[in-house]
Amino acid sequence: MPNYKLVYFNSKGRAEVVRLMFAEAGIEFEDKRVQEEDWPQLKPTMPFGQLPVLYIDDKPPLPQSGAIERYVARELNFDGGSSLAFAYIDMVCNVLEDVGSKVPFMEEDEAKKAAGTKDALENHIYPAFDKIEKKFKEGGEEFLIAKRLTLADLAIFHFSDVARVIDANFITKYPTLDALCKRVAARPSIKKYLENRPKTPL
Ligand SMILES: N[C@@H](CCC(=O)N[C@@H](CS)C(=O)NCC(=O)O)C(=O)O
């Protein structure tokens, strides 16, 4: 196994699904959390001036959370085992990215932030989750895409975890996905990771 170093801020954000894959697979990695005050100095040294970035041995650093997630999923068998399964996994991740990006987390005007969040939930996030819940329930499978845990299950778990910040009861609106998230959280390696990870809301 290569040496992995994942550089991000001290939050779950765009790095947590990768951390969850490493945890589930039992892969040691350096979880480098950059402090806000150190960021201005570090930023120009990053490939595209943003985080996360994954360092893999002495290879050129890999930025972009989506690229990192897909690479790690392939390496550690969270890819569903076929190109088609991987495409469906990609689809789930892209939907989550699309609807998640509608939430104005960085908006400083509180009224605008509240209105933007309401719009994101009602017009983007709830409709997407209604569809995913319906399809998953009809399929009656244990996991979202394949016969085993994939990146898609972990991405849904992570989304539902951080969505609590904008809707405290978010995932309970989707009983089948809620049950999936509970199964994910109960997996021994994930459970241990969740108990020990730094406590951050996002
Ligand atoms: N598309 C990129 C977006 C990366 C991104 O927006 N990173 C933010 C943190 S979530 C960042 O580095 N912000 C600090 C900055 O841009 O200076 C990805 O998915 O990795």
Side-chain angles (χ1 to χ4, degrees):
M1 230 358 113
N3 274 313
Y4 291 118
K5 175 175 160 182
L6 181 64
V7 183
Y8 194 57
F9 300 103
N10 184 29
S11 67
K12 297 175 213 166
R14 293 179 178 274
E16 196 63 10
V17 176
V18 178
R19 295 186 186 120
L20 286 164
M21 285 190 279
F22 282 142
E24 171 64 17
I27 302 297
E28 295 278 330
F29 71 104
E30 186 182 344
D31 185 15
K32 174 80 185 152
R33 291 169 183 251
V34 175
Q35 300 304 312
E36 296 293 336
E37 62 269 26
D38 298 329
W39 177 236
Q41 209 186 340
L42 195 65
K43 184 175 169 74
T45 71
M46 292 294 116
F48 291 100
Q50 288 194 312
L51 297 176
V53 172
L54 181 68
Y55 291 82
I56 311 153
D57 286 337
D58 56 357
K59 304 277 190 301
L62 179 63
Q64 287 293 341
S65 57
I68 299 169
E69 286 173 5
R70 270 70 152 185
Y71 161 74
V72 172
R74 281 204 147 114
E75 287 295 294
L76 303 182
N77 294 322
F78 295 107
D79 62 356
S82 73
S83 300
L84 188 57
F86 202 43
Y88 288 125
I89 291 166
D90 214 9
M91 171 199 72
V92 170
C93 293
N94 286 338
V95 168
L96 297 181
E97 170 70 25
D98 281 357
V99 299
S101 68
K102 306 287 183 199
V103 182
F105 281 116
M106 306 308 269
E107 176 61 60
E108 287 178 1
D109 180 314
E110 285 304 322
K112 279 191 195 155
K113 190 171 181 173
T117 300
K118 186 170 182 292
D119 174 67
L121 281 168
E122 290 176 0
N123 296 319
H124 300 282
I125 298 174
Y126 295 150
F129 270 75
D130 286 342
K131 292 196 174 74
I132 299 171
E133 166 75 11
K134 185 167 181 284
K135 188 104 182 76
F136 187 40
K137 190 177 173 191
E138 282 168 1
E141 298 287 345
E142 185 180 356
F143 299 106
L144 214 50
I145 302 297
K147 299 278 179 209
R148 57 182 198 244
L149 186 79
T150 70
L151 166 61
D153 302 299
L154 294 171
I156 289 279
F157 171 78
H158 168 59
F159 193 102
S160 75
D161 181 21
V162 294
R164 256 183 286 222
V165 171
I166 54 171
D167 175 354
N169 302 314
F170 177 71
I171 201 63
T172 61
K173 295 181 168 74
Y174 309 100
T176 320
L177 291 171
D178 190 15
L180 170 70
C181 291
K182 290 198 170 88
R183 288 197 296 280
V184 168
R187 295 172 77 90
S189 301
I190 301 265
K191 185 169 184 284
K192 191 169 162 210
Y193 170 74
L194 297 177
E195 283 165 2
N196 292 301
R197 71 180 172 180
K199 304 284 176 265
T200 62
L202 288 173

